[in-house]
Amino acid sequence: MKLMTTLATAFLLSPLASFADGHQAELEAELLAFNDRFNAYAEAHDVDGIVSLYGEESLWIAPKTPPAPAPVLARQTFSFLVANEGSISHTVDHLTISDDGTQAVMIGDAIVLVEKAGLDFTGTYLFVLEKEGDTWEIVADMFNQHVEE
């Protein structure tokens, strides 16, 4: 009887496990599309597009400075990039999604080139994202620049 109960439980729960796996894959695809949208906005020099990815209360956490409002500093940073015909792109190297699918942490490389300003470096970015309805938004943007050895 115990074997029958175990088999019945496994049979009944297997669709739930498949659903969770499918939902996880869907969330990962959404977040990878979010990163693709960031890169597309950056390539198109669309400052408003990039700023639209940030929540109104989001934080910009830069090295050696206290956290500040991200939308304002994102606009300043990406406007500088555009004015100087620079480029930035992100990879996604690590992605962690909360069990309920409403929060995520995305970590990867940021590749920056602004020849007019003498900038050419790779750094690491970390986004904390929250899902608002059907839309992901950045609630914290933290980054650093790798030091050449």
Side-chain angles (χ1 to χ4, degrees):
M1 183 66 170
K2 186 174 183 178
L3 177 59
M4 290 297 284
T5 303
T6 302
L7 289 174
T9 301
F11 177 75
L12 291 172
L13 292 179
S14 64
L16 294 176
S18 296
F19 174 79
D21 290 343
H23 191 62
Q24 183 75 6
E26 180 182 309
L27 292 171
E28 287 177 12
E30 288 176 12
L31 289 158
L32 292 175
F34 180 94
N35 186 66
D36 290 345
R37 199 164 43 257
F38 178 96
N39 286 333
Y41 287 149
E43 186 176 345
H45 288 161
D46 184 347
V47 174
D48 290 334
I50 287 180
V51 173
S52 75
L53 300 175
Y54 289 83
E56 290 181 27
E57 302 294 320
S58 60
L59 294 175
W60 185 271
I61 305 168
K64 301 180 183 180
T65 60
V72 172
L73 290 171
R75 182 167 300 284
Q76 290 173 357
T77 299
F78 295 110
S79 292
F80 167 82
L81 187 95
V82 169
N84 288 283
E85 300 171 8
S87 66
I88 184 170
S89 65
H90 284 173
T91 65
V92 178
D93 300 326
H94 303 282
L95 186 58
T96 304
I97 304 169
S98 66
D99 290 341
D100 67 358
T102 62
Q103 296 180 328
V105 174
M106 180 184 291
I107 302 171
D109 285 335
I111 299 109
V112 178
L113 176 60
V114 187
E115 288 182 22
K116 288 183 176 182
L119 298 173
D120 183 1
F121 66 87
T122 299
T124 300
Y125 77 93
L126 182 148
F127 286 160
V128 177
L129 301 120
E130 286 185 355
K131 194 166 189 181
E132 284 291 323
D134 293 333
T135 305
W136 288 96
E137 62 181 27
I138 301 166
V139 295
D141 180 348
M142 184 167 49
F143 58 91
N144 71 352
Q145 180 177 338
H146 298 171
V147 176
E148 298 296 323
E149 295 187 31

